[in-house]
Amino acid sequence: MWICDTRLPDGSQADVQIETDRIQAIVPPTNRTGDRRGGALTPGLAEPHVHLDAALLGARAPNRSGTLREGIANWAMLRAGLTADDVNERASATLQQYRRHGVFRVRTHVDTGSAVAVDALLALRDVERTRGTELQVVAFPQEGILRAPQRRRAWEDAVAKGCDAVGAIPHFERTADEGHASVRLAFDLAERHGLPVDLHCDETDDPWSRNLEVACAEAIDRGWKGRVVAGHCTALHGMPGPYVAKVCELVAEAGVQVVVNPLDNTVLQGRWDTGPVRRGLAPVAALWTAGASVGIGHDSVVDPWYRLGTANLLDPAWLLVHVGHLTSEEQMGRVWRALWDDNHRAFGGAPVPRVGERGPWLWWADADPVEILRTRALPERVGA
Ligand SMILES: [Zn+2]
């Protein structure tokens, strides 16, 4: 298959030949008759943060208040009745929706309070490989590990069973000290198993929730650049400017990636604000300026916290452009780029179009990132 005069990620134009996901040739544009002409060619998209164990459950116990608190309560009730078949069917259906939107790498958090969900998602990981999706599973202790000591063993067991990364939820522990301790416990557990860390970090409006700096210090002291992800980090939206600047620099120095989840957090955060209402978003522009890596996650696909998810990463990207004030041409291009570049970091980096490199590869009929975001364009998988 020839894609002619198409834009490559480095901004150049080329004719590209792809067969069975592998790039066979890249040559300067010609007038040859190709299978596609124009547009842009990118790697497949990557999803850095979703909860597949809870996906598609939203209608089973509707969140009547629309709040984080009721979402957690509904999830606890639903979790008790999970079966392997149920988790498998919902997760498989969700991953199929992701593929339809060009997403072939997915990192899911699994609530380690359910051994059923852990086992089901670990088993699904192998099956999904045959369907074309690379699935990673993060051991996520939804209720904390010091607040709920009975959950600590389950969290450790899930990691021992073969999870791909170690999670934690430090802002949900009882005290600031225990939150910080839980971060260190997650790093210790990850170190014992040779795994990366992916925290739900400071997903709160409380500006005194300061676990991100602890995660950065641990990453620096252990030399774990590129091995740590901090998800959400919404507390940053309420902190004084000088502190935000310090933390953003620390994040960059530590090589920690911040993954923002604008769909959930714009509706779940700011609920106690009587005005002005904060937006529930880590300061993406400030993180970029500091040199930090930022990923964009979908977080929820029709789950107890947020029923409006679509498994289309262009939705959180579109919303991020608005609530993050990222509307310069350069910033909108960078948001789109995050989906097929920065979002791959947990998977070892994005494929780069060069001869011999394997995709999957996507073709976008319009090369303009603003048009892609505006229309939530559907990419086409090419040369599969
Ligand atoms: Zn999450």
Side-chain angles (χ1 to χ4, degrees), residues 248-373:
C248 289
E249 283 169 21
L250 204 54
V251 169
E253 182 192 344
V256 169
Q257 182 176 56
V258 169
V259 170
V260 294
N261 298 287
L263 293 173
D264 283 58
N265 288 135
T266 49
V267 296
L268 296 179
Q269 308 310 131
R271 289 278 173 157
W272 280 270
D273 294 350
T274 52
V277 178
R278 287 167 290 170
R279 295 188 172 200
L281 200 68
V284 172
L287 286 161
W288 280 344
T289 300
S293 172
V294 177
I296 303 167
H298 202 303
D299 205 9
S300 291
V301 181
V302 198
D303 71 15
W305 293 273
Y306 182 79
R307 268 184 74 186
L308 300 166
T310 55
N312 183 350
L313 280 169
L314 283 168
D315 283 347
W318 181 89
L319 187 61
L320 174 62
V321 162
H322 291 75
V323 294
H325 286 160
L326 302 174
T327 40
S328 78
E329 294 281 319
E330 193 264 336
Q331 288 169 326
M332 287 191 277
R334 196 157 174 185
V335 165
W336 178 56
R337 183 183 188 100
L339 306 184
W340 48 263
D341 190 357
D342 308 73
N343 276 10
H344 281 272
R345 205 167 82 143
F347 300 87
V352 178
R354 60 186 163 218
V355 175
E357 187 92 343
R358 282 201 177 276
W361 304 102
L362 300 177
W363 181 70
W364 307 78
D366 195 320
D368 180 359
V370 181
E371 277 302 295
I372 290 169
L373 286 163

Side-chain angles (χ1 to χ4, degrees), residues 228-245:
V228 180
V229 173
H232 300 288
C233 305
T234 56
L236 282 166
H237 75 170
M239 292 172 177
Y243 181 76
V244 172

Side-chain angles (χ1 to χ4, degrees), residues 3-43:
I3 319 288
C4 294
D5 198 13
T6 197
R7 187 169 307 165
L8 299 181
D10 65 5
S12 65
Q13 297 287 129
D15 289 0
V16 182
Q17 188 189 26
I18 309 172
E19 298 297 341
T20 54
D21 278 345
R22 190 175 172 278
I23 293 192
Q24 305 287 357
I26 300 181
V27 298
T30 63
N31 287 324
R32 92 178 73 235
T33 312
D35 300 280
R36 302 286 180 278
R37 176 164 289 279
L41 186 79
T42 69

Side-chain angles (χ1 to χ4, degrees), residues 49 51 68 140 142 169 171 200-206 209 211 231-235 261 264-265 268-269 299 305:
H49 187 121
H51 296 257
L68 176 61
F140 171 51
Q142 173 83 61
I169 186 163
H171 56 276
H200 277 66
C201 197
D202 303 330
E203 187 184 8
T204 165
D205 299 326
D206 174 13
S209 182
N211 297 288
H232 300 288
C233 305
T234 56
N261 298 287
D264 283 58
N265 288 135
L268 296 179
Q269 308 310 131
D299 205 9
W305 293 273

Side-chain angles (χ1 to χ4, degrees), residues 180-181 183-184 187-188 191 197 199 201-202 210-225 228-230 243 246-257:
H180 301 168
V183 171
R184 297 192 181 99
F187 273 78
D188 289 344
E191 186 158 344
V197 167
L199 308 169
C201 197
D202 303 330
R210 296 185 171 188
N211 297 288
L212 180 54
E213 61 183 11
V214 179
C216 290
E218 286 297 315
I220 291 167
D221 290 349
R222 297 178 196 234
W224 285 20
K225 206 168 184 151
V228 180
V229 173
Y243 181 76
K246 173 201 136 174
V247 171
C248 289
E249 283 169 21
L250 204 54
V251 169
E253 182 192 344
V256 169
Q257 182 176 56

